[in-house]
Amino acid sequence: ATPGGWDEGTNMTRNANSPDLWEISIRLEDGGLQFTGNGGVIYWGAGDFPSGTAVADGDTIPIPAGLYEIDFNSRTGEYSFEEVTIYSTVGIIGDATPGGWVTDTDMERDPSDSSVWRLRIELLDGLAKFRADNDWAVNWGAGEFPQGTAEINGADIPVTAGEYNITFNSFTGAYN
């Protein structure tokens, strides 16, 4: 299920606050996977998806294709796969944008990554946010400009007037 298949491992990142917790955001294919440690010497698995408790030399975890945030605890074996939503549209809205706070300016989806959105736009001094599907149900913001990591329901982004090439990742919240 992983990009390297069974031949090449995909490294997870250790959580800075919990040394037994490992995390990754990744696109997976239909298939299976196991967690490994010590350069592939230890294997943990289980037959449960989207969460369960892996054991040493356990079964392969069955995976349906999708974009996931994965957590794995190497002490307890507990794991979870949270599927990331793919949005129909993502736009930018606010008094710094052409449509103000009324109409989104839709961004274009990157053809190679369904979570990456791009737009070339003239902005005014003011505030802006990103939002999905022209609706306030899912919106992202942060207090940083011209780049940062937006959070769901985060603060408005302060904008300085100018022409910009904007990139936004609806999976990670990264923008510039």
Side-chain angles (χ1 to χ4, degrees):
T2 62
W6 292 109
D7 297 326
E8 183 180 329
T10 303
N11 291 330
M12 299 179 76
T13 301
R14 179 177 275 170
N15 183 297
N17 299 319
S18 179
D20 295 324
L21 184 60
W22 298 83
E23 305 165 321
I24 191 170
S25 298
I26 189 171
R27 182 174 304 285
L28 299 173
E29 301 300 324
D30 285 327
L33 62 74
Q34 292 178 318
F35 298 101
T36 67
N38 293 343
V41 174
I42 302 171
Y43 289 87
W44 295 276
D48 301 321
F49 178 87
S51 63
T53 302
V55 295
D57 299 321
D59 292 336
T60 299
I61 301 168
I63 307 293
L67 188 59
Y68 295 96
E69 289 185 22
I70 304 169
D71 293 322
F72 174 65
N73 186 310
S74 58
R75 184 177 50 78
T76 66
E78 292 178 87
Y79 63 87
S80 67
F81 292 75
E82 182 179 341
E83 189 163 14
V84 176
T85 304
I86 305 298
Y87 300 102
S88 299
T89 65
V90 168
I92 187 168
I93 193 167
D95 59 10
T97 71
W101 288 106
V102 176
T103 305
D104 292 71
T105 302
D106 287 339
M107 303 177 79
E108 291 184 29
R109 184 190 313 267
D110 186 306
S112 64
D113 187 334
S114 58
S115 295
V116 175
W117 302 84
R118 300 181 192 284
L119 177 67
R120 183 173 181 90
I121 189 172
E122 181 83 26
L123 296 173
L124 305 171
D125 287 332
L127 302 170
K129 290 188 101 164
F130 298 99
R131 70 180 192 167
D133 302 328
N134 300 313
D135 191 318
W136 286 109
V138 179
N139 69 85
W140 300 266
E144 305 155 340
F145 182 80
Q147 63 189 18
T149 302
E151 297 178 356
I152 297 287
N153 298 321
D156 295 341
I157 300 168
V159 175
T160 302
E163 188 169 338
Y164 296 95
N165 288 315
I166 301 173
T167 301
F168 175 67
N169 186 314
S170 59
F171 182 53
T172 66
Y175 66 89
N176 63 27

